[in-house]
Amino acid sequence: MRIVKYILVSIFETLLRFFPMPCKTGLREFGNPGPDSPVFLTCNYHLTVERVKRALKGMDCYLLVANSRGINVWCGAAGGHLNNHRVVSVLKTSGIEERVNHRSVILPQLAGPGVEPRAVRKKAGWSIIWGPVYAKDIPAFMEKKGEKNQEMRGVKFPPLQRIEMAVMWAFPLSVTAGLLTSLFWPRMNLSLNVFIWVFSFFVFLAFPLYSKWLLWRKFEFLRVSAFLWGTFLVGLLVYSVLLHSFDGKFWLWWGVVSLLVICLLSVDLAGSTPVYKSGLHEDRFFKVVLDKNKCRAAGCCEQVCPRNCFEVDRSHHTARMPRASQCVQCGACIVQCPFDALWFENQKGEKISPETIRKFKLNLMGQRALGMD
Amino acid sequence: MSSVILMKVLESSPKRYDRGMKILFFGNLDQIYDRLISDIQKGQKVLDIGCGTGALILKAAQRGAQVKGIDINAQMLEVAKEKAEQWGLEQMTEFQEKGVSELDKEEEASYDAVTSGLCFSELSEDEIRYALRHIKRILKKDGLLLIADEVRPQNILRKIIHWLIKIPLWIVTYIGTQTSTRAVRNLPDKIKQTGFLIERMRFNSIRDFMELKARNRKDKAE
Ligand SMILES: C[S@@+](CC[C@H](N)C(=O)[O-])C[C@H]1O[C@@H](n2cnc3c(N)ncnc32)[C@H](O)[C@@H]1O
Ligand code: SF4
Ligand code: SF4
């Protein structure tokens, strides 16, 4: 029964993936926790909490749900909703301090862009341990006594998640399209909806096949939309040839409507994946720069980078960025570096300092509120 | 006036915040805040929780009180500081980036009044309980707790009107900022349970907005 409910909830919330889905904040218990049991923390996005709950089943532990305004961990942290204050607040007001003897809390690694262990320690006296990126790795993480391998540290974009993204786009689009067609072109209702769903699945399932050639290059938007539109038009041509019908009106309608849908889909295709940086962010032309003179090989960057860009060379007391090209500009490494050895810099030499990145988060339009004027 | 939700849109851009609030509350907020702090006197020490851009706390400073504003939003605080400077109130004001969970750092019995405008509705149940406990601790004997905030109407008809106004605003805010808030439930009861004496309560016509004045009775058994 529980599993059925979980599946239904997952489907429902995947359909509404675009929207935040807040759930109750505060302390939850699993199994029979005692004063030495581990303490986990996550955001209050309902689906995330459900997933963490599943991962913690069978353990004796505590879970703190912090207020991220119903937004998932990564977006919440990068957008300033899951921040130091929210973590400090749940640590201090939930009553966990009376329950356990220790003062360490395990956070999802993707909270890295928003939560600073130093600030949390200073304000609340708790130390933060960076757990795995995905909740399902928690049992393995605990078994290895907090050791994380590269695998657990990286974000992935596996088929299941791609399907989620396809649904996340298709559902609101098809609802809108359904409403519009019912009003103006009732006959096209069904076919347009079929098109939206099939095409969204195509875009995301075929993602690995074309992404290398299209994303994060010049004129990304044009490339992506031209590719997708081209693909669709070829499909339409095949269809027309098979049916021997070349109706001008039919072509016009589908040409325009598909172009609209495709433009919407490709505005920020990169940004809806965890493995490419968003094309909308103000910081997109900036790169992470590492100052080897300041770096003392503390290794925080390596621990939080969800793209495994870093390697710490302990014998030379410095970090290196052998996989810098994989960076998605989440900013986690910059926020975490205790020696301010990292920052964003663009080709013109303009910098975004660690201080700015810690203080001002990205808003929905991908802008950092730099200064106040 | 049930527009706490729309405030989210504004909060995400502190620069627009003040102008937006004027529109949202049809310019009434000024009046409400003036009334709320009318008991504050020159030379008193006042703490404002969730001060935002300073709408409430700067009024108290203008009356000659020595004020401190705390908020977790650094950008809002920047605007507040700027305003304090423009109005020549720097000497009277202090701003700190702090949340309610850091109220335990404030000294016992050190404030004459604690004020809060539209902030309790953003707190969790745990935070409200924690905040009230510490507000009681840091207030002097007979010190004042002054709150203006969204509440949930009790009466069914008012509830319906409240939601009729609220739902469209919800949608706008969801699209705009992907966040939402909920009005506080049973705030007066919680305040009473903490050991305050409520001296005045004033509601708007739909009863979804409340002004409250409570006094800290240290000697009284709870
Ligand atoms: C709607 S604004 C009200 C601001 C101001 N009092 C006014 O009336 O214009 C609410 C403020 O509460 C702050 N806030 C939210 N949660 C808080 C917390 N846990 N501790 C302190 N401030 C908080 C927000 O940052 C925001 O600035
Ligand atoms: S976190 Fe900073 S100091 Fe530590 S290894 Fe990375 S760059 Fe070097
Ligand atoms: S190197 Fe890039 S992807 Fe890795 S943590 Fe830093 S900003 Fe994020």
Side-chain angles (χ1 to χ4, degrees), chain B residues 171-183:
Chain B
I171 295 169
V172 171
T173 328
Y174 245 59
I175 294 167
T177 62
Q178 312 201 334
T179 54
S180 66
T181 38
R182 293 189 301 158

PDB file of all heavy atoms in Angstrom, chain B residues 171-183:
ATOM      1  N   ILE B 171      -1.904  32.111  -7.300  1.00  0.00           N
ATOM      2  CA  ILE B 171      -1.477  31.688  -8.634  1.00  0.00           C
ATOM      3  C   ILE B 171      -0.445  32.663  -9.184  1.00  0.00           C
ATOM      4  O   ILE B 171       0.612  32.265  -9.669  1.00  0.00           O
ATOM      5  CB  ILE B 171      -2.713  31.575  -9.562  1.00  0.00           C
ATOM      6  CG1 ILE B 171      -3.612  30.462  -9.031  1.00  0.00           C
ATOM      7  CG2 ILE B 171      -2.294  31.310 -10.990  1.00  0.00           C
ATOM      8  CD1 ILE B 171      -4.977  30.387  -9.664  1.00  0.00           C
ATOM      9  N   VAL B 172      -0.755  33.951  -9.038  1.00  0.00           N
ATOM     10  CA  VAL B 172       0.187  34.963  -9.526  1.00  0.00           C
ATOM     11  C   VAL B 172       1.563  34.758  -8.892  1.00  0.00           C
ATOM     12  O   VAL B 172       2.587  34.754  -9.562  1.00  0.00           O
ATOM     13  CB  VAL B 172      -0.326  36.381  -9.193  1.00  0.00           C
ATOM     14  CG1 VAL B 172       0.747  37.415  -9.506  1.00  0.00           C
ATOM     15  CG2 VAL B 172      -1.587  36.674  -9.962  1.00  0.00           C
ATOM     16  N   THR B 173       1.557  34.536  -7.578  1.00  0.00           N
ATOM     17  CA  THR B 173       2.826  34.419  -6.879  1.00  0.00           C
ATOM     18  C   THR B 173       3.560  33.137  -7.245  1.00  0.00           C
ATOM     19  O   THR B 173       4.769  33.112  -7.382  1.00  0.00           O
ATOM     20  CB  THR B 173       2.614  34.439  -5.357  1.00  0.00           C
ATOM     21  OG1 THR B 173       1.511  35.251  -5.086  1.00  0.00           O
ATOM     22  CG2 THR B 173       3.826  34.963  -4.666  1.00  0.00           C
ATOM     23  N   TYR B 174       2.773  32.084  -7.396  1.00  0.00           N
ATOM     24  CA  TYR B 174       3.387  30.818  -7.788  1.00  0.00           C
ATOM     25  C   TYR B 174       4.122  30.976  -9.103  1.00  0.00           C
ATOM     26  O   TYR B 174       5.246  30.535  -9.261  1.00  0.00           O
ATOM     27  CB  TYR B 174       2.305  29.743  -7.935  1.00  0.00           C
ATOM     28  CG  TYR B 174       2.436  28.646  -6.929  1.00  0.00           C
ATOM     29  CD1 TYR B 174       2.382  28.934  -5.576  1.00  0.00           C
ATOM     30  CD2 TYR B 174       2.632  27.331  -7.328  1.00  0.00           C
ATOM     31  CE1 TYR B 174       2.498  27.941  -4.636  1.00  0.00           C
ATOM     32  CE2 TYR B 174       2.752  26.322  -6.383  1.00  0.00           C
ATOM     33  CZ  TYR B 174       2.680  26.629  -5.049  1.00  0.00           C
ATOM     34  OH  TYR B 174       2.814  25.631  -4.128  1.00  0.00           O
ATOM     35  N   ILE B 175       3.476  31.646 -10.038  1.00  0.00           N
ATOM     36  CA  ILE B 175       4.103  31.833 -11.337  1.00  0.00           C
ATOM     37  C   ILE B 175       5.288  32.779 -11.210  1.00  0.00           C
ATOM     38  O   ILE B 175       6.356  32.538 -11.742  1.00  0.00           O
ATOM     39  CB  ILE B 175       3.074  32.362 -12.353  1.00  0.00           C
ATOM     40  CG1 ILE B 175       2.018  31.280 -12.584  1.00  0.00           C
ATOM     41  CG2 ILE B 175       3.744  32.745 -13.660  1.00  0.00           C
ATOM     42  CD1 ILE B 175       0.785  31.747 -13.313  1.00  0.00           C
ATOM     43  N   GLY B 176       5.084  33.837 -10.434  1.00  0.00           N
ATOM     44  CA  GLY B 176       6.124  34.849 -10.314  1.00  0.00           C
ATOM     45  C   GLY B 176       7.344  34.392  -9.547  1.00  0.00           C
ATOM     46  O   GLY B 176       8.465  34.566  -9.989  1.00  0.00           O
ATOM     47  N   THR B 177       7.144  33.787  -8.378  1.00  0.00           N
ATOM     48  CA  THR B 177       8.300  33.492  -7.531  1.00  0.00           C
ATOM     49  C   THR B 177       8.342  32.052  -7.065  1.00  0.00           C
ATOM     50  O   THR B 177       9.264  31.633  -6.396  1.00  0.00           O
ATOM     51  CB  THR B 177       8.293  34.351  -6.261  1.00  0.00           C
ATOM     52  OG1 THR B 177       7.124  34.013  -5.527  1.00  0.00           O
ATOM     53  CG2 THR B 177       8.276  35.815  -6.577  1.00  0.00           C
ATOM     54  N   GLN B 178       7.327  31.298  -7.412  1.00  0.00           N
ATOM     55  CA  GLN B 178       7.258  29.902  -6.997  1.00  0.00           C
ATOM     56  C   GLN B 178       7.310  29.742  -5.479  1.00  0.00           C
ATOM     57  O   GLN B 178       7.881  28.798  -4.975  1.00  0.00           O
ATOM     58  CB  GLN B 178       8.391  29.098  -7.629  1.00  0.00           C
ATOM     59  CG  GLN B 178       8.508  29.364  -9.109  1.00  0.00           C
ATOM     60  CD  GLN B 178       9.232  28.272  -9.828  1.00  0.00           C
ATOM     61  OE1 GLN B 178      10.038  27.569  -9.242  1.00  0.00           O
ATOM     62  NE2 GLN B 178       8.948  28.096 -11.087  1.00  0.00           N
ATOM     63  N   THR B 179       6.726  30.682  -4.782  1.00  0.00           N
ATOM     64  CA  THR B 179       6.630  30.493  -3.339  1.00  0.00           C
ATOM     65  C   THR B 179       5.250  30.906  -2.865  1.00  0.00           C
ATOM     66  O   THR B 179       4.475  31.498  -3.608  1.00  0.00           O
ATOM     67  CB  THR B 179       7.644  31.349  -2.569  1.00  0.00           C
ATOM     68  OG1 THR B 179       7.470  32.689  -2.973  1.00  0.00           O
ATOM     69  CG2 THR B 179       9.046  30.889  -2.788  1.00  0.00           C
ATOM     70  N   SER B 180       4.965  30.605  -1.639  1.00  0.00           N
ATOM     71  CA  SER B 180       3.690  31.017  -1.088  1.00  0.00           C
ATOM     72  C   SER B 180       3.828  31.091   0.423  1.00  0.00           C
ATOM     73  O   SER B 180       4.773  30.596   0.979  1.00  0.00           O
ATOM     74  CB  SER B 180       2.621  29.984  -1.424  1.00  0.00           C
ATOM     75  OG  SER B 180       2.929  28.781  -0.766  1.00  0.00           O
ATOM     76  N   THR B 181       2.866  31.726   1.050  1.00  0.00           N
ATOM     77  CA  THR B 181       2.890  31.755   2.512  1.00  0.00           C
ATOM     78  C   THR B 181       1.533  31.345   3.041  1.00  0.00           C
ATOM     79  O   THR B 181       0.562  31.280   2.316  1.00  0.00           O
ATOM     80  CB  THR B 181       3.114  33.174   3.064  1.00  0.00           C
ATOM     81  OG1 THR B 181       2.399  34.054   2.241  1.00  0.00           O
ATOM     82  CG2 THR B 181       4.563  33.495   3.135  1.00  0.00           C
ATOM     83  N   ARG B 182       1.510  31.107   4.322  1.00  0.00           N
ATOM     84  CA  ARG B 182       0.244  30.820   4.953  1.00  0.00           C
ATOM     85  C   ARG B 182       0.094  31.758   6.132  1.00  0.00           C
ATOM     86  O   ARG B 182       1.066  32.057   6.820  1.00  0.00           O
ATOM     87  CB  ARG B 182       0.229  29.371   5.426  1.00  0.00           C
ATOM     88  CG  ARG B 182       0.243  28.421   4.233  1.00  0.00           C
ATOM     89  CD  ARG B 182       0.021  27.020   4.687  1.00  0.00           C
ATOM     90  NE  ARG B 182       1.058  26.628   5.638  1.00  0.00           N
ATOM     91  CZ  ARG B 182       0.896  25.649   6.489  1.00  0.00           C
ATOM     92  NH1 ARG B 182      -0.238  25.012   6.565  1.00  0.00           N
ATOM     93  NH2 ARG B 182       1.886  25.309   7.298  1.00  0.00           N
ATOM     94  N   ALA B 183      -1.121  32.196   6.350  1.00  0.00           N
ATOM     95  CA  ALA B 183      -1.348  33.095   7.475  1.00  0.00           C
ATOM     96  C   ALA B 183      -1.190  32.316   8.776  1.00  0.00           C
ATOM     97  O   ALA B 183      -1.343  31.111   8.805  1.00  0.00           O
ATOM     98  CB  ALA B 183      -2.737  33.697   7.371  1.00  0.00           C
TER      99      ALA B 183
END
